[in-house]
Amino acid sequence: MAVHDKRYVIIGNGVAGTTAAETLRKNDPNCSIHLITNEPYPLYNRVSLPRFLQGVLAEQKVMIRNFTWHEQRNIHLLIETLVTRVDTDERVVVTDKGEHFPYDALLIANGGWANPLRVSGAKDVKHVYNFVTLDDAKTIIARMLESRTALAYGGSFISYEMCDGFAVRKLDTTWLMRGPYWLRNVLDPEGGEVVDAIAKKFGVEVVHGDEVAEIVAKNGVPSYVKTAKGRQIQADVIGIGLGIRLNTRILAGTAIEVRNGVVVNEYLETNVAGVYAAGDIAEFFDVAIGHHHTMGTWDNAMGHGRIAGANMGGDHQPYHDVPTYTSPLFDVNIAVIGTARSDSPELESIARREPGEKGNENYRKLFFRENKLVGALMIGSPKGRKKLVDIVKNQQVFASAAEREALLGLR
Ligand SMILES: Cc1cc2nc3c(=O)[nH]c(=O)nc-3n(C[C@H](O)[C@H](O)[C@H](O)COP(=O)(O)OP(=O)(O)OC[C@H]3O[C@@H](n4cnc5c(N)ncnc54)[C@H](O)[C@@H]3O)c2cc1C
């Protein structure tokens, strides 16, 4: 029987897919690698998009890879190509251009797409935007330059990134969310107040517990938004951050197990041999907390890409990492470490709020499982962050309440 070089297909060229391709090439100079994306760009830094939106970062600083990088490594990057179907019996990936790519191992790394706003008037009006891609950012910037008022809608990370962008560009900005405070699955009312105070300092009007009911348009562009509680909010541009839906639809009809994301074990392999998932779309078995979950952070996606690439090439490494996330939040920082979720019943949490710098407050919340620190969220001063990351990594036990409380003051 003829032996061919191994064929790898990767769906999605975000940080998970591109890192996996790089790892595969390092480990095997002869294999064939097809990296497929519907976007028109090589890998760029999504984490940098908010600063690009604010106008403090140029487009070339957002780009991480170029086409030459792929050519030099003989990685076939197919841009503007949508994968429409996966056939795990025939071991083939099908695209919207009718091409068929056979594989020996497949990586699903195609992330998620933002949920649209489904209210009266939203479909027929221009300038209602999600914020996920570089092209989204370019379109929003063009509209911001001709706008005076803006609405950021939602209680997610993405909604505050847009709110921050609108406020920094001096638009008259309202931030509207359905929940009682921002990030309601992570924070508590105290943490919510800290964030509100920072946003208000930047002139943002923050509205909780209400939702968009209708967009009222004039000549096809938004004039104002009507809310369920009867408010009228002026908005020339509307940014939507209502969470993402993971792109699992292309797996319909396969035996690959899908729950919220694509279910994989700690080796990032699905229940179908030779098929792996990585990054935002992977619902992975996290050895640090002992169950499956998804995680939408850059470090996690990059770490997944590295491990999935190694394992597709024949290795057998578990993914065991403590992903961290840091981002500017108006004029302070927000940092998330490991698993920080108030809606996980098996996690206990403690929090502290205290005066910080620049007239802001610091807020710190720590999450424990069986007396081990598994996650943290810090708003304001990031002092002590590295120590907390090490503690999560080392799985140190903090048996008494006093020991756990002491971590709130760690610098
Ligand atoms: C505005 C913004 C700010 C963020 N800020 C931070 C931050 O500060 N810190 C942090 O840790 N994380 C941040 N994140 C999250 C982080 O960027 C993601 O967790 C990470 O990029 C996920 O990488 P990925 O490779 O899994 O997927 P993605 O980067 O989503 O890449 C998936 C790719 O697959 C493509 N694709 C989807 N379906 C198909 C298909 N059928 N066929 C072909 N291609 C397809 C998509 O278009 C996309 O290009 C931010 C995200 C956004 C949008």
Side-chain angles (χ1 to χ4, degrees), residues 28-325:
D28 181 352
N30 299 319
C31 66
S32 92
I33 306 171
H34 284 96
L35 180 59
I36 308 175
T37 178
N38 63 316
E39 289 199 59
Y41 307 105
L43 177 66
Y44 59 87
N45 194 343
R46 272 187 221 288
V47 172
S48 297
L49 291 181
R51 279 178 298 146
F52 177 62
L53 193 74
Q54 290 173 8
V56 297
L57 202 67
E59 182 174 345
Q60 77 230 47
K61 297 271 183 201
V62 176
M63 301 310 298
I64 298 180
R65 299 284 182 240
N66 56 30
F67 292 108
T68 313
W69 181 90
H70 295 79
E71 282 155 21
Q72 284 166 344
R73 285 160 187 77
N74 197 19
I75 295 170
H76 302 284
L77 174 65
L78 289 102
I79 57 165
E80 296 177 325
T81 305
L82 186 75
V83 169
T84 50
R85 192 165 63 84
V86 171
D87 185 333
T88 50
D89 296 329
E90 297 291 327
R91 290 188 158 233
V92 77
V93 164
V94 183
T95 74
D96 59 346
K97 299 185 170 131
E99 296 153 306
H100 286 56
F101 293 96
Y103 63 81
D104 296 302
L106 168 68
L107 180 65
I108 303 156
N110 55 329
W113 284 328
N115 291 322
L117 179 64
R118 294 183 206 281
V119 299
S120 166
K123 223 170 63 194
D124 312 316
V125 76
K126 288 202 247 169
H127 312 310
V128 179
Y129 300 114
N130 289 118
F131 181 33
V132 178
T133 66
L134 178 54
D135 282 345
D136 290 339
K138 289 179 183 176
T139 317
I140 299 170
I141 290 170
R143 180 58 182 166
M144 284 197 291
L145 294 176
E146 57 190 26
S147 297
R148 205 179 45 76
T149 54
L151 171 70
Y153 182 39
S156 66
F157 268 105
I158 297 300
S159 65
Y160 98 69
E161 301 281 19
M162 281 191 280
C163 180
D164 197 350
F166 296 150
V168 165
R169 292 207 185 233
K170 305 270 184 269
L171 302 190
D172 194 346
T173 304
T174 307
W175 188 8
L176 172 71
M177 59 194 92
R178 287 180 291 208
Y181 44 86
W182 181 63
L183 278 195
R184 67 169 147 181
N185 292 334
V186 181
L187 295 181
D188 48 31
E190 296 260 311
E193 274 176 29
V194 171
V195 175
D196 284 0
I198 299 168
K200 283 175 189 161
K201 215 177 79 177
F202 278 74
V204 173
E205 186 179 351
V206 188
V207 181
H208 304 280
D210 200 356
E211 57 191 289
V212 175
E214 184 184 349
I215 298 179
V216 180
K218 203 170 169 188
N219 303 325
V221 299
S223 170
Y224 64 93
V225 159
K226 261 194 202 164
T227 73
K229 290 190 175 162
R231 287 186 177 85
Q232 293 193 355
I233 301 170
Q234 300 297 316
D236 301 322
V237 54
I238 300 172
I240 307 299
L242 297 175
I244 62 166
R245 188 193 165 102
L246 299 171
N247 294 322
T248 55
R249 272 232 304 260
I250 52 167
L251 305 176
T254 72
I256 297 169
E257 190 186 351
V258 173
R259 288 197 290 245
N260 176 29
V262 178
V263 180
V264 289
N265 58 21
E266 62 269 47
Y267 304 100
L268 305 180
E269 190 168 19
T270 67
N271 58 320
V272 173
V275 181
Y276 296 75
D280 284 7
I281 200 166
E283 187 169 333
F284 63 104
F285 183 79
D286 188 336
V287 284
I289 54 168
H291 66 77
H292 283 84
H293 65 155
T294 55
M295 189 173 279
T297 70
W298 182 267
D299 283 6
N300 183 67
M302 187 191 276
H304 273 189
R306 210 173 285 126
I307 295 292
N311 291 349
M312 287 164 80
D315 225 333
H316 198 55
Q317 298 179 34
Y319 175 74
H320 187 188
D321 204 357
V322 179
T324 61
Y325 182 118

